[in-house]
């Protein structure tokens, strides 16, 4: 299919916005420099495929169903731990902790064509936080006092294990991801560094194939896309609830990974 650069350029700018300044520890000024995305991100010092690192993170062994209440109406998300166990486990764990309750969608892009709604910044639950600061926050683990970052995790179609810490382009992978950015896909926002996703997520308002292989999709809206379509910037997640599959969430045992 022919790529219409002129038509897609506004959406690409928003993709840059999804990438830059979307998580704790990012440099907001980098968002003013689109050229920053042209070079591969600096590799992390330790690969998250190290079992000790993965053992420190929640994991979803199977499926779960999450319900978001927005503007008094439910949005049902099927969370796919089979294809994205760490990313899905992180999301379900944060839902169960109540991290998303009261947070607001700080980025909504529909013009010049539908793109995404983005939320999940814990700062957005505090009305005193300036709007200009939203999109820079992430989850801090109260037990450790440290930000929780999760690795970029994308399963190539037909593969047994996800690829970690690299986009498909960086890893030289030509296959499609098992989970793609079709309308209603739920995926993690991150900074320019692959392993910087925390709590922020977005829902696609249309098919967005050029994000495939660069961002981690972990779920799909199965009911309530009409509610998603009506979300405006500043709308709150009144509640987020795991309604099914919580037994599939595996949390790390305290101190297990550090022994």
């Amino acid at each position: 299919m022919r790529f219409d650069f002129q038509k897609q350029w506004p959406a690409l700018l928003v993709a840059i916005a999804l990438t830059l300044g979307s998580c704790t520890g990012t440099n907001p000024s980098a968002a003013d420099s689109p050229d920053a995305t042209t070079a591969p991100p600096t590799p992390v010092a330790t690969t998250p495929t190290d079992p000790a690192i993965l053992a420190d993170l929640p994991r979803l062994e199977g499926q779960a169903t999450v319900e978001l209440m927005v503007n008094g109406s439910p949005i049902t998300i099927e969370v796919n731990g089979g294809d994205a166990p760490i990313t899905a486990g992180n999301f379900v764990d944060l839902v169960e902790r109540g991290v998303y309750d009261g947070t607001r969608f700080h980025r909504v892009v529909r013009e010049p064509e539908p793109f995404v709604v983005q939320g999940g910044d814990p700062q957005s639950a505090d009305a005193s936080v300036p709007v200009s600061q939203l999109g820079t926050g992430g989850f801090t683990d109260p037990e450790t006092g440290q930000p929780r970052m999760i690795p970029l995790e994308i399963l190539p179609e037909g593969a047994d294990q996800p690829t970690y810490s690299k986009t498909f382009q960086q890893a030289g992978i030509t296959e499609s991801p098992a989970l793609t950015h079709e309308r209603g896909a739920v995926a993690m926002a991150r900074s320019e560094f692959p392993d910087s996703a925390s709590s922020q997520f977005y829902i696609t308002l249309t098919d967005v194939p050029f994000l495939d292989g660069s961002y981690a999709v972990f779920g799909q809206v199965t009911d309530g896309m009409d509610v998603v379509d009506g979300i405006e910037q500043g709308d709150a997640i009144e509640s987020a609830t795991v309604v099914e599959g919580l037994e599939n969430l595996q949390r790390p045992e305290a101190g297990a990974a550090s022994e």
Side-chain angles (χ1 to χ4, degrees), residues 183-257:
R183 171 172 159 81
V186 187
M188 293 302 291
R190 60 175 177 82
S191 79
E192 68 269 33
F193 300 105
D195 298 342
S196 57
S198 180
S199 62
Q200 291 185 51
F201 67 94
Y202 59 90
I203 304 173
T204 57
L205 298 174
T206 189
D207 294 352
V208 193
F210 63 83
L211 296 181
D212 288 346
S214 294
Y215 294 85
V217 176
F218 62 88
Q220 182 72 32
V221 173
T222 56
D223 194 25
M225 268 308 294
D226 58 326
V227 182
V228 177
D229 288 335
I231 290 173
E232 299 291 346
Q233 185 172 336
D235 284 350
I237 298 175
E238 295 147 14
S239 65
T241 309
V242 183
V243 296
E244 190 174 342
L246 184 59
E247 68 277 6
N248 294 327
L249 177 63
Q250 305 296 318
R251 289 188 171 109
E253 296 182 9

Side-chain angles (χ1 to χ4, degrees), residues 22-41:
S22 61
C23 294
T24 299
T26 62
N27 178 6
S29 65
D32 297 328
S33 177
D35 289 342
T37 63
T38 61

Side-chain angles (χ1 to χ4, degrees), residues 129-219:
V129 175
V131 174
S132 60
Q133 187 173 321
L134 299 182
T136 63
F139 172 67
T140 297
D141 191 329
E143 296 178 3
T144 65
Q146 298 298 314
R148 179 200 288 171
M149 302 296 186
I150 62 171
L152 179 62
E153 175 187 54
I154 309 176
L155 178 70
E157 194 168 32
D160 294 330
Q161 297 292 329
T163 293
Y164 287 97
S165 304
K166 293 182 179 180
T167 66
F168 277 17
Q169 182 179 13
Q170 292 167 340
I173 296 172
T174 57
E175 291 81 9
S176 298
L179 301 177
T180 60
H181 283 82
E182 61 184 73
R183 171 172 159 81
V186 187
M188 293 302 291
R190 60 175 177 82
S191 79
E192 68 269 33
F193 300 105
D195 298 342
S196 57
S198 180
S199 62
Q200 291 185 51
F201 67 94
Y202 59 90
I203 304 173
T204 57
L205 298 174
T206 189
D207 294 352
V208 193
F210 63 83
L211 296 181
D212 288 346
S214 294
Y215 294 85
V217 176
F218 62 88

Side-chain angles (χ1 to χ4, degrees), residues 68-75 105 227 231 235-239:
L68 307 181
M69 290 296 295
V70 178
N71 294 324
S73 298
I75 299 168
F105 289 94
V227 182
I231 290 173
D235 284 350
I237 298 175
E238 295 147 14
S239 65

Side-chain angles (χ1 to χ4, degrees), residues 57-69:
L57 298 169
R59 187 179 188 94
L60 187 67
E61 299 287 355
Q63 306 293 309
T65 304
V66 166
E67 182 181 86
L68 307 181
M69 290 296 295

